[in-house]
Amino acid sequence: MKKLLTAVMSVLLFAGSAFALNFSADGNFTIPMNAWYDTWEVSNVIKTTTKNLDYGFGFDAGGQAMLTNQFGARVAFGFSWPQGDNWTNNTTNSFTNSTTTTSGTTKYNSDNTSLFAINLFVGPVINIKNTKKYVIYVNPGFYMQTRIKTVTQSDNSKTTTSTSDFGLGAEIDARYDITRKCYVRASCPLIWTFSSKDNSSGSTHDVQKFSFAPHFGVGYKF
């Protein structure tokens, strides 16, 4: 799905640029920060909830085609690493015998390190402010991130996983012209992730994940 979506959006965006009023491309330094919790439940007996906060740095490149003065499309690919994560796990075990119900809760901290992640953000572009020197866009869209390798360590236990997250978001993009063709940009995508997939097992589960990633970069108008 990832390869198909990437190919379709890339073809639409770059083919559409031939008919656009303007086409631009940019490169950016990013500071990704994520906060989320997720829940795993096994047969209504074992329920695990984790609370996470991670951070890192990265780079991305984007292309944008404005089909009218107000509306267009954008696709951006990004890379980020490393992503350190200190998280708290809360596991509740409940079981019932013939006379009583017993429950227990265990809490512990762990460390995650995602060595490398690939991001994809695609969606429409809306021009909300345009002057001779600067322009402001709002970009709602679809978001996907694949973490190539995540190492989780707690005490003497260590596991390695690869996951893909799917979500929706919006980006506020402000650009200031340095010359007629070149500009600097500052943007801030806010992402809500609602599903996560373990790439090794193929299993998916619901998450509530919020991502905040300031972007600072330069671009060129063709």
Side-chain angles (χ1 to χ4, degrees):
M1 178 179 177
K2 174 186 174 182
K3 293 182 179 179
L4 178 61
L5 179 61
T6 301
V8 170
M9 290 305 301
S10 298
V11 169
L12 289 176
L13 180 59
F14 291 103
S17 67
F19 306 96
L21 294 179
N22 64 72
F23 178 74
S24 60
D26 51 76
N28 307 273
F29 174 76
T30 67
I31 309 172
M33 291 172 280
N34 305 287
W36 78 96
Y37 68 88
D38 55 12
T39 300
W40 297 80
E41 188 168 328
V42 180
S43 302
N44 296 319
V45 176
I46 300 176
K47 184 177 182 180
T48 299
T49 300
T50 61
K51 296 180 180 181
N52 307 65
L53 176 65
D54 71 17
Y55 47 87
F57 70 95
F59 302 91
D60 79 7
Q64 179 172 305
M66 295 302 294
L67 305 178
T68 71
N69 287 326
Q70 296 299 122
F71 301 101
R74 176 175 173 82
V75 58
F77 298 92
F79 305 92
S80 57
W81 68 97
Q83 299 184 45
D85 174 22
N86 294 316
W87 57 285
T88 299
N89 176 278
N90 180 32
T91 300
T92 301
N93 301 288
S94 300
F95 62 92
T96 304
N97 58 29
S98 58
T99 57
T100 62
T101 298
T102 303
S103 64
T105 299
T106 303
K107 295 183 180 181
Y108 64 91
N109 293 322
S110 185
D111 293 322
N112 281 355
T113 300
S114 294
L115 300 181
F116 186 67
I118 302 174
N119 311 309
L120 170 67
F121 186 78
V122 295
V125 175
I126 304 170
N127 185 339
I128 62 173
K129 181 70 174 180
N130 195 356
T131 71
K132 290 183 178 180
K133 295 297 292 183
Y134 72 90
V135 60
I136 299 176
Y137 300 104
V138 173
N139 312 329
F142 173 81
Y143 174 82
M144 182 172 69
Q145 181 185 76
T146 297
R147 299 191 178 203
I148 302 300
K149 183 180 180 181
T150 299
V151 179
T152 302
Q153 183 165 356
S154 177
D155 297 328
N156 296 322
S157 175
K158 180 185 292 186
T159 59
T160 301
T161 59
S162 173
T163 58
S164 293
D165 295 338
F166 305 90
L168 301 172
E171 179 180 30
I172 299 177
D173 180 358
R175 306 181 180 188
Y176 184 84
D177 289 342
I178 301 175
T179 68
R180 189 172 64 89
K181 291 290 187 178
C182 298
Y183 60 88
V184 293
R185 72 186 295 266
S187 65
C188 183
L190 302 174
I191 307 295
W192 168 60
T193 302
F194 52 81
S195 180
S196 183
K197 176 183 177 181
D198 187 318
N199 295 326
S200 300
S201 65
S203 62
T204 62
H205 69 287
D206 295 334
V207 298
Q208 297 291 331
K209 181 176 181 179
F210 299 91
S211 301
F212 172 84
H215 287 49
F216 306 96
V218 294
Y220 185 83
K221 293 183 285 186
F222 295 89

